[in-house]
Amino acid sequence: MTIFKEIVDEEFLTVSETKELLADIEAERAMDEERELRYELARAIEHVNRFTVLEPEEAQDLVDDLQELEKVDEPTAYKIANLLPRNRDELRSVYAQQRYSLSGDELDEILNVLAQYV
């Protein structure tokens, strides 16, 4: 007998969107003086505050633009939008576990899209 929780729904989020959601949770918890922030929640809030660069709308536009490119699927687009790689080596690390590698032109095309937002 194994006990697993069932995944009901899955949705990709950018760090910016996550920051908004966590800010709402933090404000809700601040209203109730008896409820403290759990350690994990406090660390998550600290993380998104430190690493959020783009506004949520900009981040979603970036994801949409990345998905228009041939070799960028939805999970990879969100990963790129969250990491915001600055050069080919950083971008290659995003694709390290894929079964294919990108040419220099394909990497440059993705970096050019990123340059419009960062």
Side-chain angles (χ1 to χ4, degrees):
M1 182 172 120
T2 57
I3 300 173
F4 293 106
K5 292 188 178 186
E6 180 182 352
I7 296 175
V8 177
D9 190 21
E10 182 177 9
E11 179 181 354
F12 294 104
L13 294 174
T14 62
V15 175
S16 305
E17 293 167 330
T18 305
K19 181 179 179 180
E20 276 191 337
L21 293 173
L22 290 177
D24 293 342
I25 292 170
E26 184 179 28
E28 178 184 306
R29 298 271 173 103
M31 297 286 219
D32 187 1
E33 294 178 13
E34 294 179 14
R35 288 182 79 179
E36 289 186 25
L37 288 180
R38 291 191 357 227
Y39 173 77
E40 295 85 0
L41 180 57
R43 294 287 294 166
I45 291 169
E46 179 184 329
H47 179 84
V48 296
N49 286 336
R50 181 178 298 158
F51 293 107
T52 299
V53 175
L54 302 174
E55 293 298 318
E57 297 80 23
E58 288 178 312
Q60 190 58 51
D61 290 343
L62 173 58
V63 168
D64 294 340
D65 288 349
L66 288 169
Q67 284 183 298
E68 291 176 7
L69 301 175
E70 183 181 338
K71 295 262 181 153
V72 183
D73 58 359
E74 184 180 20
T76 306
Y78 277 94
K79 192 180 295 186
I80 292 170
N82 287 333
L83 296 174
L84 298 172
R86 295 187 189 115
N87 56 46
R88 284 182 175 187
D89 291 332
E90 290 177 1
L91 187 55
R92 274 193 192 100
S93 69
V94 173
Y95 282 93
Q97 294 183 346
Q98 300 289 343
R99 293 185 178 173
Y100 54 87
S101 61
L102 300 180
S103 69
D105 291 338
E106 291 169 327
L107 292 170
D108 288 340
E109 188 176 3
I110 294 170
L111 289 171
N112 288 339
V113 171
L114 281 167
Q116 296 172 8
Y117 292 91
V118 181

